[in-house]
Structure formats: structure tokens, C-alpha cells
Amino acid sequence: MKKNNNYENQLALIQEDNINVSTTNEGKDFLILLSGIVCIVLIFLFSFSFLASLYIDRMPVETQLKIESLFSVKQHIKTDNKYSKKILQLNHLKEVIIKNDKNLQNKSKFDINILTNKEINAMISPDGSIIFTSGIIEKNLTEQELAFVLAHELGHYAHRDHLKTISKQVGIIALCLITGQSSHMQSIVQGISETEFLSHSRKQEKEADLYASRMLVKIYGTNNGGKNFIKRLKDNEKTPEFFSYFSTHPSWEERYKLLEAQ
Amino acid sequence: MLDLIILILLLLLTYGTGSYLEKRHFKNIQQREIALIRKPIISFGAKKWTTNKKIKKIELVAGEVVISGDYFKNFVASLKNFFGGRLTPFESIMDRARREAILRMREKAKYANIIVNVRIESVMLSDLYNPQSIPQCAIIAYGTAITYEKEQ
């Protein structure tokens, strides 16, 4: 009987060392695979956007204007008459800024529109139209603060950020098309591209802030208008700072420190 | 970015649960294999089987199992599909399925002395032409169970 039990024990020992099961660790396998994909995607995106930036920075003005005309948004926005005085003030500030930067001269007309929206925001469309929300206008910003916001948006245009963003999105779409056969592969590629896109966008925002700050110094001799504006928004900010990693903009705190260092 | 974080969390979660369930299944298979080591014996061999013993009962027995990978395994396999190579996540699944099907067949014929001419078949249940389809496979083990007359 004792001998019989040994037989079962021996079998248990043999089974421990099962040659039919693969000994590869799936987790390790996945990490190697994932790091390979991340490297390929990042190399593709970096080289694509590097080459695109190289071309965009040297692009002739005529080509730039042709591309921009494809993205016109002018007909979609109607400004309320009650903001006509503000529009006049903004147009005056715009002329002053354009006078101080050759990169902005003889390009778009930079039409200024005010969109009825409670959010505090301003943006520039690819065709050079500048849109302020009614939320930011009703904040009663000082002239220097308004000039900072306007110069920030014009900074994006001067750096040709709109064209660089379009080229980046073309790169992401191309990658998604290549990997479209596998939905899982596509979700990883999208995730990596989006993360890289956000980080690139935050970099562009910082450069636009620095441009606006330099412009204020040129016009008023100080960048206090920019610092005051950002401080105002920083003090009202309730979301934690780490949320900026999910955003296209750096945190207000970071932007304030950037201007202070100037 | 948020989508990527959700995806990573989902992968970590399913890797954890999948590994735990797989380990538990292998342990369970081992215990059942040891319990059935003496009876019924299985033979994958000769098509023409002969014996001198008196036979009481002959019948067809089958054990089936339908198996699919967890989210993590399917995810890794889908990535590997893109680049090619061994689909290691499915190797352990196939082993589990094969052993489970044989065990189910043997458990059905516990009374039998031997199961001869055992064969294992597999059927893909997923849609090969639909990339969204979940990979799943049916494994069927079948054979002829033979029970001897009890010796006086």
C-alpha cells in the first residue's frame, strides 16, 4: 500500500515539471513588446514632426496663406454689438503688437471676434482669426493684461504652431491607418500619440507665453500685465496641479513661474 | 491620456486575475489527474485493440471544453499578431484546455477500465474574418470506454 502511495507522489513531482506548458512569462513578454511599440511610435512621431517643422519654418508665406485659407472659421462667428468698444481696443492693441514683430506683418488680417461663452478662453484659428470668449472680456482685464492674452495668441501664429499641430495630427492619423487592422494595437498607438501630443502642446503654450512676455516688455517695458493675469487665474484655480499632465496647457503655477523667471 | 491610463489599469487587473485563475486551474487539473491515475487508463494508440478479458460494456465517451483567453492574453496576442512570432499567451490556454477535455472525458467514464483510441479535436469558434471577434476555441477529447467483467 505504501508503495502505491509513492507512485502517486512520484506523478505529482513529474507534473510539477510539465514540459507541455510554455515557461515564458507573459508579463515580461508584454513589457518587451510594449517598449518596442512605444519606441517605434515615438521615433516615427518625432522624426515626422521634426521634418514637418523643418519644412514649416522655411515655408514661403504664399503657401502658408494658401493652407490657412482652407481652415477659415470667419463666417461661423457673430460678435454681439455690445462688445464693439472692446473690439476697437483689441484692434488697437493688435496693431501695436504687429508693428513690433516682422513675422506678423503682411500675413493674415487677424480679425478679432468675441464668442458668447462663459469660459475664460481665447484662441487663434489656423486662418489667423482671433476669438475671445465673452467670459474673458467680462473679467475687465487691464490694457496690459489684454495685450498679454492677444500677444500669446499671436505668438502661436508667429511660431506657426497651427501648421505644426496640423502636421502632427496628419502623422497620428497615418500611424492609426497603418495599425488600423488591430484595434488593440491602435488603442496603444493612440494613447502614446495623444500623450506625446499633449506634451508638445504644453511646450508650444510655454513658448507663446514667453513670446507674449517679451512683447509686453517691448511695448510697456514690463511683463507685469502677463504676471497679473496668470496670477488672477492661478488664485481661482481649484483643480490639482498634476491635472495639467492631461491638459494641452501647463498649470497656471508653472506659467506664473515661467513669467517670473523672465 | 486618460484612455491610456484606463487601458493600463485594465491590463494590470486582468493580468492579475488571469494569472491567479490560471494557477488555480492548473492546481485543480493536477489534483484531478492524480486522482484518476489508475482508472480509466487512456490509450491514444492502436486502432485495432484486442484483449483476452471478458468485456461488460463498450461505449463512446467525450469530454469538451470551450476556452478563451482573458483580456490581457487577448491583448498581447493581438499585438503579437501584428508583428508575428509565438503566441505564448495562448500556449498555456491550449494546454489547460487539452488536459481539461481529457479529464472531463475520463471523469465521465470513471467506471471503465480503459479508454482506447482517444483523439483530440479542436474547433475555432471565433470569426477569423472579424478582427473584433474574441479568440475562443473548443477542444473535444473522445474515445471508446471499455469496462471488463469483474473477475470472480
Side-chain angles (χ1 to χ4, degrees):
Chain A
M1 190 67 194
K2 199 181 176 187
K3 204 180 172 185
N4 286 349
N5 276 338
N6 276 342
Y7 183 54
E8 257 116 31
N9 290 340
Q10 269 178 6
L11 184 85
L13 283 174
I14 292 167
Q15 280 192 333
E16 290 283 311
D17 189 24
N18 190 342
I19 55 159
N20 288 318
V21 186
S22 161
T23 47
T24 329
N25 185 331
E26 285 163 21
K28 196 177 148 193
D29 225 29
F30 173 63
L31 284 180
I32 294 168
L33 198 63
L34 188 67
S35 40
I37 295 169
V38 172
C39 285
I40 292 171
V41 171
L42 288 181
I43 288 171
F44 177 85
L45 286 178
F46 280 133
S47 41
F48 190 88
S49 67
F50 172 75
L51 291 173
S53 300
L54 217 62
Y55 173 69
I56 289 167
D57 287 336
R58 286 160 182 74
M59 184 189 275
V61 179
E62 297 79 44
T63 321
Q64 183 189 349
L65 293 175
K66 260 186 204 170
I67 297 173
E68 286 170 9
S69 64
L70 298 173
F71 299 93
S72 176
V73 293
K74 281 170 201 162
Q75 63 270 33
H76 303 299
I77 299 163
K78 279 179 189 164
T79 304
D80 200 322
N81 285 336
K82 67 177 175 180
Y83 298 120
S84 49
K85 266 191 182 175
K86 260 297 181 237
I87 295 262
L88 274 175
Q89 187 190 7
L90 285 167
N91 273 324
H92 169 71
L93 284 172
K94 178 184 84 181
E95 296 303 330
V96 177
I97 294 169
I98 292 173
K99 247 185 217 171
N100 278 286
D101 187 359
K102 278 183 186 171
N103 281 331
L104 298 174
Q105 290 162 13
N106 302 321
K107 286 193 180 161
S108 167
K109 285 180 184 169
F110 303 112
D111 288 330
I112 294 174
N113 301 286
I114 293 173
L115 183 75
T116 316
N117 189 316
K118 280 182 183 173
E119 260 184 67
I120 298 170
N121 203 357
M123 62 206 100
I124 186 160
S125 73
D127 68 343
S129 308
I130 299 165
I131 301 152
F132 280 79
T133 57
S134 52
I136 199 168
I137 295 294
E138 280 156 18
K139 270 262 170 193
N140 292 324
L141 302 182
T142 62
E143 188 190 305
Q144 285 196 27
E145 286 173 337
L146 268 179
F148 175 79
V149 179
L150 194 59
H152 172 97
E153 299 310 328
L154 288 169
H156 280 307
Y157 189 90
H159 296 147
R160 295 183 170 177
D161 286 345
H162 51 305
L163 297 175
K164 286 172 189 165
T165 305
I166 292 168
S167 74
K168 204 149 192 92
Q169 278 165 345
V170 169
I172 294 172
I173 291 169
L175 254 185
C176 288
L177 282 176
I178 295 167
T179 56
Q181 287 179 331
S182 158
S183 59
H184 289 140
M185 180 78 178
Q186 205 177 33
S187 55
I188 285 203
V189 167
Q190 266 176 348
I192 300 165
S193 314
E194 200 187 316
T195 312
E196 203 277 326
F197 182 78
L198 289 178
S199 126
H200 181 78
S201 168
R202 287 194 292 270
K203 203 175 144 199
Q204 285 183 339
E205 293 301 329
K206 279 184 192 173
E207 278 167 10
D209 273 350
L210 290 176
Y211 174 91
S213 167
R214 280 195 298 269
M215 188 56 78
L216 284 199
V217 174
K218 234 184 215 181
I219 302 169
Y220 303 104
T222 168
N223 68 354
N224 282 344
K227 279 194 274 185
N228 290 345
F229 171 71
I230 288 181
K231 192 173 184 304
R232 228 198 256 209
L233 294 171
K234 182 171 79 95
D235 294 342
N236 288 336
E237 186 62 53
K238 280 167 194 161
T239 47
E241 207 182 328
F242 75 89
F243 261 68
S244 63
Y245 287 105
F246 304 98
S247 168
T248 50
H249 288 62
S251 68
W252 293 116
E253 183 70 44
E254 206 178 329
R255 293 174 79 172
Y256 185 73
K257 278 179 191 165
L258 191 75
L259 291 193
E260 253 194 345
Q262 273 268 295
Chain B
M1 179 103 175
L2 200 65
D3 289 348
L4 191 66
I5 291 173
I6 293 171
L7 181 69
I8 290 169
L9 286 177
L10 202 61
L11 285 173
L12 282 175
L13 180 77
T14 48
Y15 176 62
T17 51
S19 304
Y20 170 73
L21 290 173
E22 188 164 271
K23 266 185 195 162
R24 209 174 68 165
H25 190 204
F26 270 128
K27 208 173 168 186
N28 176 271
I29 287 174
Q30 275 190 4
Q31 284 168 353
R32 283 154 67 204
E33 278 175 350
I34 292 168
L36 287 172
I37 187 68
R38 287 164 200 281
K39 210 179 143 190
I41 293 165
I42 54 168
S43 156
F44 292 93
K47 283 182 182 170
K48 200 170 178 183
W49 181 82
T50 53
T51 180
N52 295 328
K53 291 178 181 172
K54 271 192 175 178
I55 291 169
K56 183 185 165 190
K57 196 177 177 186
I58 300 178
E59 68 178 339
L60 174 79
V61 280
E64 298 147 22
V65 61
V66 178
I67 200 151
S68 168
D70 51 65
Y71 184 80
F72 177 81
K73 280 182 193 290
N74 291 341
F75 194 93
V76 180
S78 161
L79 293 187
K80 284 226 167 184
N81 257 335
F82 194 82
F83 295 103
R86 274 174 69 188
L87 292 181
T88 40
F90 284 161
E91 286 176 359
S92 60
I93 287 191
M94 291 307 286
D95 182 61
R96 277 162 70 191
R98 197 172 55 238
R99 286 164 76 183
E100 180 68 41
I102 293 172
L103 272 172
R104 284 184 187 181
M105 176 190 72
R106 292 172 78 189
E107 279 164 352
K108 273 187 195 168
K110 261 184 183 168
Y111 54 85
N113 295 80
I114 186 165
I115 306 172
V116 294
N117 286 336
V118 174
R119 298 288 179 267
I120 300 170
E121 303 282 349
S122 61
V123 185
M124 277 295 288
L125 296 179
S126 49
D127 182 359
L128 287 173
Y129 300 102
N130 178 10
Q132 305 292 331
S133 153
I134 302 162
Q136 45 194 347
C137 182
I139 305 274
I140 306 152
Y142 60 93
T144 311
I146 293 166
T147 319
Y148 303 136
E149 283 280 11
K150 273 192 182 162
E151 284 174 17
Q152 297 297 318

